[in-house]
Amino acid sequence: MKKMLIVGAGNGGMALLRTIHGLNNIAVVGVVDLDPGAPAMKLARTLGIDTGQDVQPFLHFRPDVILEVTGQSQVYERLCSQVETGTLVVSGAVASLMLQLIAEKEKWFDAWRIRQRELDAILNSTHDGMIAVNRDGNVTLFNRAAERLIGLSAKEVMNTWIEDSIPNTRLDHVLRSGIPELNQRQRLPNDVSIVTNRVPVTTKSGEVIGAVAVFRDVTDVLSLTQQVTDLTSMKSHLQAIINSSDDAISVVDTAGNGLLINPAYTRLTGLSPEEVIGKPAETDISEGESIHMKVLRTKKAIRGAHMKVGPLRKDVVVNVAPIIIGGEQKGSVGIIHDMSEMKSLYSELEKARRIIRTLEAKYTFSDIIGESEVMQTAFEQARQAARTPATVLLRGESGTGKELFAHAIHHDSDRKYHQFVRVNCAAISESLLESELFGYEEGAFTGARRGGKKGLFEEASGGTIFLDEIGELAPGIQAKLLRVLQEKEVVRVGGTKPIPINVRVLAATNVDLELAITEQRFRKDLFYRLNVFPIFIPPLRERMEDLGALSIYLIKKYNQEYGRNVEEIDAEAVAELSRYHWPGNVRELENMLGRAMIHMPFHEQVMHLSHLPVLVEERVIEKSSSIKQENGERSLQEVLEETERQHIEQILLTQQGNKTATARQLDISVRSLYYKLKKYGLE
């Protein structure tokens, strides 16, 4: 600590003493003056500082600096001759300059303190809460409104990291991103709802050096809005609302005289304001009793009254209610609906419903034919899936009816009145599929639509999206689909902002996804997201007992398309169909019956075996394939499947038919084992 001696106790000495006494690391060892009553001498004694009339006793303290403020040059010279080496004597001129600088500094600090008090008063008097953080995320401002709204004191929060003290302010996000977040609704930890603006604080060069949040209680905002709305603005708003309404409005006073009508009333009745205002309520009635007068007498609302109004005798329905202000009736107000317009709107609504139905699921469970045990199991699983929001994976061979099940599940779910969007993942090229599924922003690529485009996931939000042929997705799109399933949000192509969606996903595939995962053609994590509720649709060869009913159903369908009247298929034809193993499943059966019906004479009503030439052709193909296999002309895939079938059969025999032990030894899931057993006919 530096020691300082002041020589001269006038006003200059007192100014120096006041300034120096409040400084850290400086100690005033004494004040010397010939006048014991000088201002600085009195102040020094008040502060407990030694005083005297002679310098010599104070030199024993070995002061580091002696300030000579007597203004007499001989005193400065005498002091210089008396002090030891290491003590600095500051002359009166220099001390005077120091006094001026100190005075300027004090004046500046006084002004700064005043401004600071003014700023504090402004910040603490505002009704808006304010929080500021520096570039490190430490709180530098926390006003009284913030204390009141958040329930923490400034002492608890100041100079602490914002996430530690107030976790959900998002000021740390604004610090990192540099992007303002305006008019955001937020719920504080103490359940107070606020509206907040969060903005970064930047330098001229754009560097983020802090962030500020300004917020207020939502209830305060609403209260303030009500206070601002005065009677004049309220009247003008109400007049604008009444005039812009498409419903005809009529208001009468307590005597039943017209008080107000809107343009819609004039369009409906053909009566101008001059013909109605101030006139009796019965003026506009062509047929019927005045509902206004009945309401004025009874003080009770009347709804759904039919009458005819105006010179054109328009059919209308009237709803009239009393106007009660402060418990006193002031008149009545009537809403008049044009019945012809309502009928037109109803017709438009029905038309819209028909259009919407084309966007919804077309089929229900009643459209799927199957009384066999395996189909009943699939039905039961599908109905159970419809009652849950879980992702469903429909598995089965091509042509088994996976899309019909998807339609039926959506139709049986609580999303049945919302969109059902179908996507064939194999029918759209990879370059287009991403933008079709997830949408794109304006300028995302050459030819992108101005303003961007919603993707199919956004279009399906609130409803269901059906992803057919999911096993054909490219790896890049698989990754984006996985994010959609995990985060329930999409990011458009060329965009960065995630868009939340509420969509139920149904997927279907005829691909062996377990094998595709092994061959690294399908992501394992995506498989787990899709395989939440798997449903296996059995092939036709495993439910031959349904063949007859299916055939009749399909024949009736083609009757409508081809203008035929075929009523049944004979037993011999069904028996022949039953001997075929149907690799194309129901789709192949549908195709075969359609072709058979085309070749039938118009007058025949029963389909016979002779009408089924296509089945013979299929057997020739099957036989050719069999000969091809016997000759060793099999593809690599066929060889691999045959090897897999033989290995599974061998392990199953070793484990004496225990499927759990077999799956464990094969290192696959029990569900995958059941799928492969069905695939290779080893059930």
Side-chain angles (χ1 to χ4, degrees):
M1 181 176 287
K2 298 293 184 180
K3 292 178 285 187
M4 188 172 290
L5 176 65
I6 297 175
V7 178
N11 292 330
M14 186 170 70
L16 278 174
L17 179 58
R18 282 178 174 169
T19 302
I20 295 170
H21 181 70
L23 298 177
N24 295 327
N25 300 321
I26 295 179
V28 178
V29 298
V31 177
V32 178
D33 197 283
L34 295 175
D35 180 7
M41 297 287 276
K42 295 179 180 178
L43 178 60
R45 286 192 291 271
T46 304
L47 298 174
I49 298 172
D50 293 337
T51 60
Q53 294 176 299
D54 188 4
V55 173
Q56 197 63 37
F58 293 97
L59 295 179
H60 295 293
F61 292 111
R62 297 182 178 277
D64 297 291
V65 178
I66 298 176
L67 293 175
E68 186 274 311
V69 288
T70 63
Q72 301 175 18
S73 58
Q74 63 270 25
V75 175
Y76 170 75
E77 293 171 359
R78 188 164 61 251
L79 287 172
C80 289
S81 64
Q82 291 178 340
V83 299
E84 298 179 2
T85 304
T87 298
L88 174 65
V89 179
V90 178
S91 68
V94 174
S96 176
L97 178 60
M98 289 176 61
L99 285 171
Q100 292 178 23
L101 292 174
I102 290 171
E104 287 295 325
K105 185 202 75 168
E106 284 295 327
K107 187 184 297 183
W108 185 88
F109 269 112
D110 286 342
W112 178 83
R113 279 189 284 267
I114 291 171
R115 288 293 178 87
Q116 189 65 32
R117 284 194 295 270
E118 290 174 349
L119 180 60
D120 288 343
I122 293 171
L123 294 177
N124 287 320
S125 63
T126 181
H127 206 58
D128 293 338
M130 296 184 184
I131 303 175
V133 297
N134 59 20
R135 71 175 73 216
D136 298 321
N138 295 328
V139 179
T140 57
L141 170 64
F142 195 79
N143 70 347
R144 288 176 188 164
E147 290 180 321
R148 174 176 53 81
L149 291 171
I150 296 176
L152 297 173
S153 67
K155 290 181 180 179
E156 297 176 90
V157 176
M158 290 295 288
N159 300 317
T160 63
W161 190 49
I162 188 68
E163 276 297 290
D164 287 341
S165 51
I166 313 170
N168 63 339
T169 62
R170 289 186 59 83
L171 281 175
D172 55 325
H173 294 270
V174 175
L175 269 178
R176 290 193 296 269
S177 67
I179 300 173
E181 297 180 355
L182 306 178
N183 297 322
Q184 301 294 308
R185 290 289 295 267
Q186 181 179 343
R187 183 169 291 278
L188 297 175
N190 58 0
D191 282 338
V192 174
S193 292
I194 61 171
V195 176
T196 179
N197 291 333
R198 298 180 280 265
V199 294
V201 179
T202 59
T203 62
K204 290 183 178 180
S205 62
E207 180 187 2
V208 178
I209 59 172
V212 177
V214 181
F215 51 94
R216 63 171 50 185
D217 192 335
V218 173
T219 56
D220 291 344
V221 175
L222 297 175
S223 175
L224 183 61
T225 303
Q226 288 180 342
Q227 294 175 18
V228 169
T229 304
D230 56 22
L231 184 60
T232 304
S233 64
M234 180 70 77
K235 182 179 178 180
S236 62
H237 278 84
L238 287 174
Q239 189 67 49
I241 292 170
I242 291 170
N243 289 340
S244 63
S245 173
D246 287 332
D247 289 326
I249 298 174
S250 166
V251 180
V252 300
D253 59 21
T254 53
N257 295 321
L259 197 61
L260 180 148
I261 61 171
N262 66 343
Y265 175 93
T266 299
R267 290 195 299 270
L268 176 61
T269 64
L271 299 174
S272 65
E274 292 76 15
E275 296 174 284
V276 177
I277 303 299
K279 303 296 194 298
E282 296 87 349
T283 301
D284 58 356
I285 300 174
S286 301
E287 183 179 314
E289 182 185 359
S290 172
I291 307 301
H292 273 302
M293 299 308 296
K294 289 181 70 173
V295 169
L296 289 174
R297 288 195 301 268
T298 63
K299 298 183 180 180
K300 293 181 180 179
I302 297 176
R303 302 183 183 280
H306 291 262
M307 61 175 57
K308 295 181 185 295
V309 296
L312 300 178
R313 299 175 60 83
K314 284 282 189 76
D315 282 316
V316 297
V317 173
V318 180
N319 298 329
V320 181
I323 301 172
I324 307 297
I325 300 175
E328 184 179 352
Q329 181 170 274
K330 297 293 185 179
S332 63
V333 57
I335 308 296
I336 308 168
H337 302 283
D338 187 351
M339 287 297 293
S340 59
E341 186 176 348
M342 291 175 70
K343 290 175 182 177
S344 174
L345 290 173
Y346 182 78
S347 176
E348 290 293 325
L349 178 61
E350 284 300 307
K351 182 179 178 181
R353 283 175 176 168
R354 286 194 295 271
I355 295 172
I356 290 170
R357 285 193 197 104
T358 65
L359 301 175
E360 296 175 351
K362 295 180 180 178
Y363 308 106
T364 66
F365 285 115
S366 62
D367 295 313
I368 306 174
I369 307 302
E371 295 297 329
S372 59
E373 184 178 350
V374 287
M375 279 298 286
Q376 289 301 313
T377 300
F379 283 147
E380 183 180 348
Q381 290 177 335
R383 287 192 175 95
Q384 184 179 357
R387 293 191 293 269
T388 73
T391 301
V392 176
L393 180 61
L394 298 164
R395 305 188 67 172
E397 298 177 11
S398 180
T400 53
K402 297 184 290 297
E403 183 170 346
L404 267 67
F405 269 83
H407 280 257
I409 289 171
H410 172 77
H411 190 274
D412 215 41
S413 72
D414 56 5
R415 295 172 180 256
K416 63 184 295 185
Y417 296 112
H418 297 279
Q419 294 276 53
F420 179 76
V421 177
R422 292 161 284 173
V423 185
N424 189 321
C425 301
I428 307 175
S429 65
E430 179 183 349
S431 58
L432 289 176
L433 185 58
E434 182 178 7
S435 60
E436 286 297 314
L437 284 176
F438 310 116
Y440 58 81
E441 297 289 356
E442 182 177 344
F445 50 82
T446 304
R449 181 190 297 177
R450 187 173 183 181
K453 178 188 174 185
K454 283 184 179 181
L456 293 175
F457 270 99
E458 287 183 71
E459 295 286 354
S461 191
T464 303
I465 188 168
F466 173 51
L467 303 176
D468 200 5
E469 305 292 353
I470 192 76
E472 306 300 329
L473 282 180
I477 299 180
Q478 289 182 33
K480 291 200 73 171
L481 177 59
L482 176 63
R483 173 179 174 80
V484 172
L485 294 176
Q486 287 177 334
E487 306 298 333
K488 306 295 184 186
E489 60 187 24
V490 296
V491 178
R492 292 182 181 177
V493 176
T496 57
K497 181 181 177 182
I499 302 170
I501 57 170
N502 172 24
V503 63
R504 202 266 181 91
V505 177
L506 306 179
T509 183
N510 59 3
V511 173
D512 184 347
L513 293 182
E514 290 82 358
L515 179 61
I517 291 171
T518 304
E519 296 174 351
Q520 297 185 347
R521 291 185 289 108
F522 201 83
R523 294 177 65 110
K524 184 185 294 186
D525 46 7
L526 178 58
F527 172 74
Y528 292 143
R529 283 287 176 182
L530 292 171
N531 201 42
V532 176
F533 202 124
I535 299 175
F536 291 87
I537 314 300
L540 182 56
R541 62 181 174 275
E542 294 182 8
R543 56 185 191 104
M544 285 299 190
E545 56 267 45
D546 295 330
L547 191 61
L550 265 173
S551 299
I552 294 297
Y553 178 85
L554 294 173
I555 286 171
K556 289 181 178 179
K557 172 186 172 184
Y558 282 120
N559 277 337
Q560 296 177 354
E561 291 186 17
Y562 298 155
R564 300 296 185 91
N565 189 28
V566 179
E567 295 181 354
E568 58 180 311
I569 179 171
D570 67 14
E572 186 181 7
V574 173
E576 181 66 14
L577 294 176
S578 299
R579 285 191 285 272
Y580 185 53
H581 74 284
W582 299 106
N585 293 293
V586 179
R587 186 179 292 123
E588 184 181 3
L589 174 64
E590 185 176 9
N591 178 271
M592 187 275 298
L593 291 174
R595 282 185 286 170
M597 186 175 286
I598 291 172
H599 294 292
M600 288 178 64
F602 273 91
H603 66 276
E604 293 200 33
Q605 296 183 339
V606 179
M607 185 178 289
H608 299 287
L609 178 60
S610 59
H611 298 136
L612 306 176
V614 177
L615 187 59
V616 177
E617 294 174 8
E618 296 292 352
R619 284 191 169 179
V620 170
I621 295 171
E622 182 185 1
K623 184 176 180 181
S624 172
S625 175
S626 176
I627 294 171
K628 182 180 176 182
Q629 291 187 10
E630 290 174 2
N631 291 337
E633 299 176 13
R634 294 187 295 171
S635 67
L636 176 60
Q637 181 64 32
E638 291 170 337
V639 174
L640 288 172
E641 289 182 353
E642 177 61 24
T643 303
E644 184 180 50
R645 188 193 68 78
Q646 292 175 0
H647 184 62
I648 292 173
E649 186 175 19
Q650 181 182 351
I651 299 300
L652 192 62
L653 290 172
T654 302
Q655 297 295 340
Q656 298 179 347
N658 187 322
K659 294 181 176 59
T660 303
T662 300
R664 187 182 302 114
Q665 185 168 344
L666 291 171
D667 195 23
I668 61 176
S669 68
V670 175
R671 190 174 292 279
S672 297
L673 176 61
Y674 273 100
Y675 177 73
K676 293 179 185 297
L677 291 177
K678 285 188 176 183
K679 178 179 178 182
Y680 297 124
L682 299 175
E683 302 97 321

